């Protein structure tokens, strides 16, 4: 038995708005290139990242979006997130929550979720986009996770947020 999923294009076309579309009041897109951002230390062993976009006081709903670079042997324990995220494996082989993920594998983590135990023997790169949880409203965390001066031990990292 399949569940009916409504056509969102048709539903959107039926919406009534009192606003005329105009570039006067829109937020323009933003552009970054990987070469414009330095690699930063991430909280888990063997991980560095280039977050091209991330939340700030000026733009708190911006996603964490960029590339994770993982050295052979990189790993992290299972941990909780209240935000949502999408990953695309670009290079390398990863065991994520017991499942092997190779280049071309996309993962979607709804909110809230437990991000499963993660390991790689090959190292590689993953494109990640973390965004505010549609159901929880919790936002991704950048400061103190993606821009660390010095990594803490895994035992000292919080796994509950």
């Amino acid at each position: 038995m399949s569940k009916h999923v409504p056509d969102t294009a048709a539903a959107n076309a039926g919406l009534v708005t009192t606003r005329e579309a105009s570039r006067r009041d829109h937020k323009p897109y933003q552009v970054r290139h990987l070469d414009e951002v330095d690699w930063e230390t991430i909280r888990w062993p063997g991980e560095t990242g280039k977050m091209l976009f991330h939340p700030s006081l000026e733009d708190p709903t911006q996603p964490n979006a960029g590339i994770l670079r993982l050295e052979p042997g990189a790993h992290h324990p299972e941990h909780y997130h209240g935000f949502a995220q999408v990953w695309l494996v670009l290079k390398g082989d990863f065991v994520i929550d017991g499942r092997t993920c190779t280049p071309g594998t996309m993962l979607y983590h709804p909110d809230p979720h437990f991000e499963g135990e993660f390991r790689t023997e090959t190292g590689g790169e993953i494109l990640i986009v973390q965004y505010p949880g549609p159901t929880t409203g919790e936002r991704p965390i950048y400061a103190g996770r993606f821009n660390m001066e010095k990594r803490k031990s895994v035992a000292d990292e919080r796994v509950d947020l």
Side-chain angles (χ1 to χ4, degrees), residues 37-153:
V37 179
D38 293 328
W39 290 103
E40 296 180 308
T41 299
I42 297 178
R43 68 180 179 151
W44 303 119
E47 296 187 22
T48 55
K50 285 191 177 201
M51 291 298 104
L52 292 127
F53 299 100
H54 57 81
S56 65
L57 290 175
E58 301 78 32
D59 197 352
T61 62
Q62 194 173 102
N64 275 334
I67 303 292
L68 296 183
R69 182 176 62 189
L70 302 118
E71 299 170 8
H75 62 92
H76 67 241
E78 178 177 88
H79 56 282
Y80 168 85
H81 290 307
F83 51 82
Q85 58 182 328
V86 174
W87 297 357
L88 176 62
V89 177
L90 302 173
K91 299 176 186 174
D93 296 337
F94 302 89
V95 177
I96 302 168
D97 204 22
R99 180 175 176 169
T100 300
C101 299
T102 58
T105 303
M106 181 174 273
L107 295 86
Y108 163 62
H109 297 89
D111 70 310
H113 69 274
F114 279 91
E115 190 174 305
E117 183 180 2
F118 173 104
R119 302 198 152 279
T120 178
E121 296 307 316
T122 64
E125 293 182 355
I126 300 175
L127 167 71
I128 71 164
V129 178
Q130 301 175 328
Y131 53 96
T135 59
T136 64
E138 291 185 40
R139 296 179 178 164
I141 301 168
Y142 171 76
R145 288 198 178 168
F146 287 91
N147 62 344
M148 302 180 79
E149 288 187 29
K150 184 177 181 196
R151 187 175 286 128
K152 300 177 196 173
S153 72

